[in-house]
Amino acid sequence: STGGQSVLDQVLARLAIKSEWMNAAHFIPFLERYSLTPTLDRSVLERTLQLMETHPGQSFSVALGQASLADDDFLHWLGLRLERAGKLAANLWLAFPERVVQALPDAVTTLEDYADQTGISLMVDQFGTGGISFDYLARTRLQGVRIGQHYVRDVHRREDARFFLE
């Protein structure tokens, strides 16, 4: 925050593969190939909600994969799970890739409905990488954006980034 306090903690998925921790970029393509992304996202959300029970005032951000948001069973489960979470849901941020706004508009609408019903906050992840016009920001009920690294890297040195700085 502007006051220097942490606003939320980002939950990252890691898997131990051959005794070495791998970040999501290494194993997500494999999970997508075998339609296992919803399974990972369910597990991460369950673990996060359990953690939130012992840290009730802390906010957490969980990134959902596009494949999960395209899965009707996952979306149904998510709605039920958020409802069951009760007041904890108010401290949960669900992030989704920017390309989901264009590729899965019905899923975004469903997430907005869940936000209205449960108090979760919504965030676009990888902002600026979806190759779409930013006008969706006016139509979508978002509470935050996570800016893609290519916008932030050396932003103070790049003349083409003045728009974002201003």
Side-chain angles (χ1 to χ4, degrees):
S1 74
T2 55
Q5 297 84 14
S6 174
V7 175
L8 57 89
D9 289 303
Q10 181 179 358
V11 177
L12 302 174
R14 301 284 186 258
L15 286 179
I17 301 173
K18 296 184 180 179
S19 301
E20 196 173 319
W21 287 103
M22 299 287 178
N23 67 29
H26 287 68
F27 60 81
I28 289 292
F30 175 81
L31 295 178
E32 287 175 347
R33 182 179 310 141
Y34 295 100
S35 302
L36 294 171
T37 308
T39 303
L40 173 70
D41 285 348
R42 283 182 188 191
S43 176
V44 170
L45 275 166
E46 283 293 351
R47 287 174 164 233
T48 301
L49 289 167
Q50 289 170 3
L51 180 65
M52 291 174 74
E53 289 176 5
T54 60
H55 297 81
Q58 202 166 341
S59 293
F60 292 88
S61 168
V62 174
L64 300 175
Q66 183 170 342
S68 296
L69 295 173
D71 184 316
D72 289 337
D73 289 338
F74 175 84
L75 281 175
H76 180 71
W77 170 86
L78 178 63
L80 294 174
R81 185 61 184 96
L82 291 173
E83 187 177 300
R84 199 171 82 225
K87 293 179 183 179
L88 288 177
N91 290 332
L92 182 64
W93 290 69
L94 294 181
F96 53 89
E98 183 178 55
R99 64 186 174 273
V100 166
V101 173
Q102 188 171 28
L104 301 168
D106 290 343
V108 173
T109 300
T110 298
L111 289 176
E112 290 174 327
D113 291 343
Y114 291 165
D116 290 342
Q117 295 163 9
T118 66
I120 62 167
S121 297
L122 300 177
M123 179 186 312
V124 164
D125 200 3
Q126 304 161 12
F127 176 78
T129 63
I132 60 176
S133 171
F134 295 159
D135 68 339
Y136 74 87
L137 293 172
R139 295 186 318 271
T140 310
R141 295 185 308 258
L142 299 169
Q143 288 70 48
V145 295
R146 189 174 303 133
I147 300 172
Q149 284 186 350
H150 72 280
Y151 279 125
V152 181
R153 190 174 296 120
D154 297 323
V155 70
H156 60 290
R157 294 187 188 132
R158 295 188 355 243
E159 188 60 35
D160 65 330
R162 178 137 332 270
F163 164 80
F164 295 104
L165 292 174
E166 291 174 359

